[in-house]
Amino acid sequence: MSRRPHIIVSLGDPCGIGPELLLGSLPALQPWADVTVVGSKAGVDLLEGRPGAPVAWRWLASTSGPPTPPLPCKVHTLQVLALGDAAPEVLGQALWLDPTPEIGADQLQLGRGSAASGRATVEAVRAAALMTMGGAADALVTLPMAKAAAHLAGYDIPGHTEFLRDLAGIAITRMAFLSPQLNVVLHTVHQSLRSVVESLTADGVADTLIFAADRFIQLTGKTDLRVALCALNPHAGEQGAFGVEEELLEEAIMQAEAAFLSFSSDPTPPRSATPLELDPSRPAGSRQHRPVGQRGLEVLSTSGPSDAHPAPLFFGPLPSDSVFQRASKGEFDLVVALYHDQGLIPVKLLEPTRAVNLTLGLPFIRTSPDHGTAFDKAGKWIADSRNFLEAAALAVRLAGRSGLGLPPPPGA
């Protein structure tokens, strides 16, 4: 990318830590990219007069906004300032779009989600995603949403991932968590553990394995990707002693292997089924892969920068009490977890500040920090901004087509 990247940040719940993370991080973001913020201005207004702020800020009137706003928005300019100077230095500046200007600070309570904060959150995400899909920005970074507040506002959505998938009209997405030590893709996300077991099928897990491997080949250029699949039961079922679900998982791995093997041996011209091109600069005529046989899986897309045929290696199902430790030591490039906590407990233990949520399958780049609204910390200026900065840094790297690698920790 020859021009400067442009990222949009959706503020998240205005009563959580999103506003203070944004204010404290904007000076660090400014050298990386142009920043537009979409969210409730009232979330920042709630912080006025709260002790401990590392920066000051002011609002300027703004008469210009995005070329084609997807939804009506009140337009402002936010400036973040150094503390203590008579003529304070401007440390950062961002265009600010508020799609719910009728929600004022008097309708919100710092540290507590509500129907008002839920509506402000979801409408900000909607506007930010539509802008990004429309080409107004190169990537979207989302600050945390309180699902309960969104439900109070009448939005029947499990979270960002599902909302963005439906908004984009995409059939399949997966939630990935990327970090220097560990990369994890979730087979299921926001659903009960009971429903995970009841809905488990070999076909469904095979879809996730193929889709995840394919997307990571695009992102990394590594065609011999090593993918580990978590077992469901203790000791991977101990040959049926603790459950038989691992038989389904073994079948899923065979299907995934067959799909890539079919591609590698298929001499016919490929067709693309991809909803996302992370590398539009790929030379004309470079090979793309597609599913062949095995239920006609419409999940393979493009092979990434390498001309070699993709040949990922699948391992498992492996006991989840050891597979993450093995992956963190370099034995596997990617772990596919069957449910939310199976994947996120090790991610948050090993990489509490560096793991970044990347949604695979959207027609635009979307990253997010790997934490929630932290209502108990809101307004205290104690929330750690490093994870948000990692999410923004990854978005900028992907927007610049510079690969998957995460930058050094902020300040290193």
Side-chain angles (χ1 to χ4, degrees), residues 253-323:
I253 287 178
M254 289 189 289
Q255 290 188 21
E257 291 171 337
F260 282 97
L261 179 63
S262 296
F263 158 70
S264 297
S265 60
D266 179 21
T268 59
R271 60 183 173 84
S272 174
T274 179
L276 171 63
E277 284 282 350
L278 282 181
D279 189 4
S281 62
R282 181 181 296 110
S286 60
R287 180 154 176 105
Q288 294 180 319
H289 60 270
R290 62 180 175 88
V292 179
Q294 296 300 320
R295 310 180 342 275
L297 295 171
E298 293 295 328
V299 293
L300 294 181
S301 54
T302 58
S303 61
S306 172
D307 290 332
H309 297 325
L313 303 173
F314 295 95
F315 301 86
L318 299 174
S320 58
D321 62 357
S322 59
V323 66

Side-chain angles (χ1 to χ4, degrees), residues 313-344:
L313 303 173
F314 295 95
F315 301 86
L318 299 174
S320 58
D321 62 357
S322 59
V323 66
F324 295 101
Q325 191 260 359
R326 293 169 64 182
S328 72
K329 293 186 177 300
E331 190 172 343
F332 308 115
D333 303 301
L334 176 65
V335 178
V336 173
L338 296 175
Y339 56 93
H340 185 279
D341 286 8
Q342 185 181 48
L344 287 191

Side-chain angles (χ1 to χ4, degrees), residues 10-24:
S10 63
L11 188 66
D13 196 294
C15 299
I17 60 173
E20 59 202 88
L21 288 179
L22 187 281
L23 290 169

Side-chain angles (χ1 to χ4, degrees), residues 36-401:
T36 295
V37 182
V38 182
S40 174
K41 175 180 176 291
V44 174
D45 294 341
L46 287 174
L47 297 173
E48 287 286 354
R50 305 283 300 191
V55 293
W57 61 90
R58 66 188 174 198
W59 298 99
L60 304 178
S62 183
T63 58
S64 63
T68 53
L71 298 170
C73 292
K74 181 73 172 177
V75 183
H76 308 272
T77 296
L78 172 71
Q79 287 188 336
V80 173
L81 313 171
L83 291 174
D85 296 330
E89 177 188 0
V90 177
L91 302 176
Q93 180 170 306
L95 182 70
W96 190 291
L97 306 178
D98 186 349
T100 55
E102 68 281 3
I103 297 177
D106 59 340
Q107 300 176 53
L108 303 173
Q109 182 177 345
L110 192 61
R112 178 172 296 181
S114 63
S117 75
R119 186 164 73 85
T121 305
V122 176
E123 292 308 317
V125 174
R126 187 195 308 277
L130 290 174
M131 288 175 61
T132 310
M133 281 192 284
D138 301 302
L140 170 62
V141 182
T142 59
L143 282 163
M145 169 191 296
K147 284 78 170 177
H151 295 164
L152 288 173
Y155 299 96
D156 186 19
I157 55 174
H160 276 106
T161 303
E162 299 86 350
F163 181 67
L164 293 171
R165 178 198 64 203
D166 295 344
L167 192 64
I170 297 301
I172 179 170
T173 57
R174 289 295 183 267
M175 184 182 288
F177 292 87
L178 315 180
S179 69
Q181 292 190 75
L182 192 62
N183 297 317
V184 175
V185 170
L186 303 183
H187 172 56
T188 61
V189 187
H190 299 122
Q191 62 185 80
S192 70
L193 190 55
R194 179 187 296 275
S195 70
V196 169
V197 178
E198 292 173 345
S199 64
L200 192 69
T201 66
D203 289 358
V205 176
D207 282 353
T208 297
L209 288 170
I210 298 166
F211 184 77
D214 176 65
R215 293 301 157 134
F216 268 75
I217 290 170
Q218 287 188 60
L219 291 166
T220 66
K222 184 178 175 63
T223 56
D224 57 346
L225 200 73
R226 299 164 300 170
V227 183
L229 174 63
C230 288
L232 178 70
N233 296 305
H235 302 184
E238 196 73 58
Q239 298 183 337
F242 305 141
V244 297
E245 288 81 6
E246 279 65 32
E247 295 177 7
L248 298 177
L249 303 181
E250 290 170 358
E251 181 184 342
I253 287 178
M254 289 189 289
Q255 290 188 21
E257 291 171 337
F260 282 97
L261 179 63
S262 296
F263 158 70
S264 297
S265 60
D266 179 21
T268 59
R271 60 183 173 84
S272 174
T274 179
L276 171 63
E277 284 282 350
L278 282 181
D279 189 4
S281 62
R282 181 181 296 110
S286 60
R287 180 154 176 105
Q288 294 180 319
H289 60 270
R290 62 180 175 88
V292 179
Q294 296 300 320
R295 310 180 342 275
L297 295 171
E298 293 295 328
V299 293
L300 294 181
S301 54
T302 58
S303 61
S306 172
D307 290 332
H309 297 325
L313 303 173
F314 295 95
F315 301 86
L318 299 174
S320 58
D321 62 357
S322 59
V323 66
F324 295 101
Q325 191 260 359
R326 293 169 64 182
S328 72
K329 293 186 177 300
E331 190 172 343
F332 308 115
D333 303 301
L334 176 65
V335 178
V336 173
L338 296 175
Y339 56 93
H340 185 279
D341 286 8
Q342 185 181 48
L344 287 191
I345 289 172
V347 166
K348 292 187 177 186
L349 278 172
L350 288 171
E351 297 282 13
T353 62
R354 300 213 66 192
V356 175
N357 177 359
L358 171 68
T359 305
L360 304 178
L362 291 174
F364 56 91
I365 298 163
R366 179 258 171 163
T367 67
S368 177
D370 179 24
H371 60 69
T373 54
F375 285 131
D376 60 319
K377 296 181 180 179
K380 299 176 183 177
W381 300 99
I382 59 173
D384 192 333
S385 64
R386 287 178 294 175
N387 200 209
F388 170 54
L389 287 170
E390 295 286 1
L394 180 59
V396 170
R397 287 184 62 81
L398 293 177
R401 318 296 181 193

